[in-house]
Amino acid sequence: MNVQFKKGVLELCVLALTAWEDRYGYELAVSISHKFEVAVGSVYPLLNRLTLEGYFSTYLRESPEGPPRKYYKLTPLGHTHLMELTVEWRSFSQAVDQIIKEGVER
Amino acid sequence: MIRQQFLQELWELLAPVPEPIRRDWMYDYEEHFRIAVENGQSEEAAAVELGDPRQIAKELLLGYRVEQAADKNGSITHVSRAVLAAVSLGFFNLIFVLGPYIALLAVLISFYAVAGALCLSSLAAIYESVWGTELTYLQGSSLAAVLMGLGILTGVGTHRLARAVARMTLNYLRFNSRMITRGNKK
């Protein structure tokens, strides 16, 4: 898939994965890169930026294997942002589906 | 070895960022190496997966500059730094970010110049009415008042415009940093 395309939705995916539970960076990077082929390395700078913008807060939590891990927690601001992006995405993908239907499957 | 090199390079590239934020960011990359190795991946593979530290640093710096400029209420110095950080991400941005920004700056400067010229010309009107022969005191002082008023209005208007330009630029940069393609494709 087109790289630009994926980058655009990466933010939405990262926010969506943290909606119900806090996750650590590696978990997010790997689960997203498995789903659709996006560079693992592009997830971390995104997480860092979203933290800077106030959508995430981070904390360290002990892990059974080795040193503590850094967890990302969605802030109320991040939650609002996720809701907005979801609505935008829904209407966008519905519009594209509609156009494909009319254009291809007539 | 590769892990050390990678982390060291990234650390040095992020020098403009205050240490607490820098440490916080570095933790992610350290953690990535640690968990990748625990999962049986080689350090080389983990480094390749992460991509070029220079590219990562550029992207992080852009985010930092934009937020900082927004915190400083869009001061021209900070906005310009953010613009330059965006430009360093690639040639594409030279045309679509730096070009329009310089054009806008030029417009702002010319408006400020107009404001300055109007204020100066009111002084000239006073001078003319006192030492010259063309204007009476009354004409001179009312002309000066009008010119000064226009100058101040233009100045205030331009100041507002500068604020708006700064805000727009930052929003555009935020939008842009979401869309910028990274060097390491997969």
Side-chain angles (χ1 to χ4, degrees):
Chain A
M1 213 206 292
N2 184 299
V3 182
Q4 293 283 351
F5 209 77
K6 284 190 272 192
K7 258 206 87 94
V9 291
L10 199 54
E11 182 170 329
L12 174 55
C13 296
V14 164
L15 293 169
L17 281 171
T18 49
W20 292 103
E21 51 186 318
D22 306 347
R23 293 177 192 273
Y24 55 97
Y26 188 85
E27 195 181 9
L28 285 168
V30 168
S31 57
I32 290 178
S33 73
H34 278 329
K35 281 261 164 52
F36 53 91
E37 304 218 309
V38 69
V40 169
S42 58
V43 176
Y44 294 108
L46 177 71
L47 288 173
N48 298 148
R49 202 195 68 222
L50 292 174
T51 310
L52 217 53
E53 289 178 9
Y55 297 138
F56 280 125
S57 60
T58 62
Y59 61 92
L60 294 180
R61 193 202 283 165
E62 293 304 322
S63 114
E65 316 84 65
R69 284 176 181 165
K70 183 174 153 190
Y71 278 80
Y72 285 86
K73 181 185 182 57
L74 209 58
T75 62
L77 185 69
H79 215 271
T80 319
H81 189 55
L82 169 61
M83 291 302 128
E84 284 165 5
L85 284 183
T86 314
V87 171
E88 263 174 50
W89 171 256
R90 288 265 158 78
S91 68
F92 173 73
S93 67
Q94 269 167 17
V96 174
D97 278 348
Q98 190 65 36
I99 289 169
I100 291 175
K101 263 195 197 119
E102 284 164 13
V104 182
E105 302 164 0
R106 54 180 169 186
Chain B
M1 193 52 220
I2 289 190
R3 178 201 313 221
Q4 282 313 315
Q5 252 172 21
F6 185 100
L7 295 173
Q8 184 65 33
E9 191 178 353
L10 189 58
W11 176 256
E12 279 160 18
L13 287 166
L14 292 175
V17 180
E19 201 162 316
I21 300 180
R22 212 167 16 145
R23 286 208 181 284
D24 183 55
W25 286 348
M26 292 299 294
Y27 201 91
D28 286 310
Y29 303 95
E30 287 159 13
E31 193 177 82
H32 182 85
F33 273 109
R34 204 165 55 226
I35 302 180
V37 170
E38 275 169 22
N39 290 350
Q41 218 178 359
S42 70
E43 283 187 7
E44 285 91 339
V48 168
E49 221 175 31
L50 282 176
D52 187 353
R54 279 170 300 183
Q55 196 66 26
I56 294 175
K58 280 178 187 171
E59 212 170 314
L60 288 173
L61 277 178
L62 172 59
Y64 173 71
R65 297 284 195 215
V66 169
E67 286 317 302
Q68 213 194 14
D71 282 350
K72 298 271 188 233
N73 249 324
S75 92
I76 288 299
T77 334
H78 285 91
V79 174
S80 300
R81 275 196 198 148
V83 167
L84 289 179
V87 167
S88 78
L89 273 163
F91 175 71
F92 179 81
N93 294 286
L94 199 67
I95 301 164
F96 287 93
V97 177
L98 192 60
Y101 182 66
I102 288 179
L104 282 172
L105 274 190
V107 169
L108 285 178
I109 289 171
S110 63
F111 276 140
Y112 275 123
V114 168
L118 282 169
C119 292
L120 276 181
S121 60
S122 79
L123 295 182
I126 289 173
Y127 178 89
E128 180 63 29
S129 64
V130 176
W131 285 283
T133 50
E134 294 297 316
L135 300 169
T136 64
Y137 282 129
L138 187 64
Q139 283 173 329
S141 53
S142 48
L143 183 59
V146 169
L147 288 171
M148 188 57 96
L150 281 176
I152 290 171
L153 275 180
T154 315
V156 170
T158 311
H159 193 67
R160 291 251 172 90
L161 192 65
R163 274 285 151 77
V165 165
R167 230 173 319 132
M168 250 171 43
T169 308
L170 290 178
N171 281 336
Y172 179 63
L173 287 180
R174 284 204 188 100
F175 163 78
N176 221 259
S177 62
R178 281 177 174 80
M179 287 300 163
I180 285 163
T181 331
R182 305 226 322 160
N184 54 341
K185 61 253 154 241
K186 184 179 171 188

